[in-house]
Amino acid sequence: MTTATHRFDHSRLEIVSRAECLRLLRSVPLGRLVYTAGGLPAIRLVNFLLDADTIVFSSGQGDKFRAAERGDVVAFEADDVDLDRHIGWTVTAIGHLSVVSPDEAAELRRTLPLHSWLPMEDPQLVRVGMESVHGRRLVPWGKRPREG
């Protein structure tokens, strides 16, 4: 379903392009990493930055780091919601987690303002290589299609 140049899904949420998803991800400092820990789903809030079209964040030596060492498939979600106006967006990325090499990590730390919000000993940089990115936006009532 389309309205002007906007596409909507069956729930009347606007479908966000990949380029707009990346722009939206750059606009917020926090997201949620969804990974597997001990065979169960785990979700952790992380502060992050985009490096080109990959997500980068600091990690200690815990479960997230071990998932990166294994190259696990993960999901990453960030969003922004205006509770008063009932509008907002969500972006979900799926990809493989990996540990950033020490040389590349040193360069990234020089060029990106990436600082963990948690005190960590020996923080490591971890990357989500986004293999798919999907976004949806809840737009004001007047901009939504009448039918779903």
Side-chain angles (χ1 to χ4, degrees):
M1 173 182 307
T2 61
T3 299
T5 60
H6 301 280
R7 294 182 326 133
F8 293 84
D9 67 11
H10 68 281
S11 299
R12 296 183 224 160
L13 295 172
E14 181 183 2
I15 299 169
V16 179
S17 70
R18 180 181 177 90
E20 180 67 358
C21 285
L22 295 177
R23 187 193 71 74
L24 292 169
L25 285 173
R26 285 184 181 91
S27 74
V28 294
L30 292 174
R32 287 166 294 286
L33 179 71
V34 182
Y35 63 102
T36 303
L40 297 172
I43 303 172
R44 297 294 180 267
L45 193 63
V46 297
N47 64 299
F48 73 99
L49 287 174
L50 255 58
D51 174 36
D53 62 352
T54 64
I55 297 162
V56 180
F57 60 92
S58 291
S59 175
Q61 297 294 320
D63 291 335
K64 294 184 306 252
F65 186 74
R66 285 190 291 281
E69 288 181 312
R70 291 189 303 265
D72 288 2
V73 173
V74 298
F76 187 87
E77 182 183 58
D79 51 48
D80 190 32
V81 177
D82 183 326
L83 297 175
D84 294 328
R85 297 188 309 154
H86 300 184
I87 59 173
W89 58 265
T90 185
V91 171
T92 303
I94 306 293
H96 285 83
L97 204 57
S98 63
V99 177
V100 176
S101 72
D103 290 341
E104 186 181 1
E107 179 63 23
L108 287 172
R109 285 191 171 101
R110 279 193 296 277
T111 60
L112 294 177
L114 181 63
H115 305 286
S116 175
W117 290 11
L118 294 173
M120 287 185 220
E121 289 189 31
D122 193 28
Q124 303 295 310
L125 291 187
V126 172
R127 177 187 312 276
V128 179
M130 294 186 277
E131 296 164 27
S132 70
V133 181
H134 303 279
R136 296 290 187 270
R137 181 181 284 126
L138 182 60
V139 298
W141 282 101
K143 293 184 178 181
R144 295 180 197 169
R146 296 192 191 277
E147 298 175 0

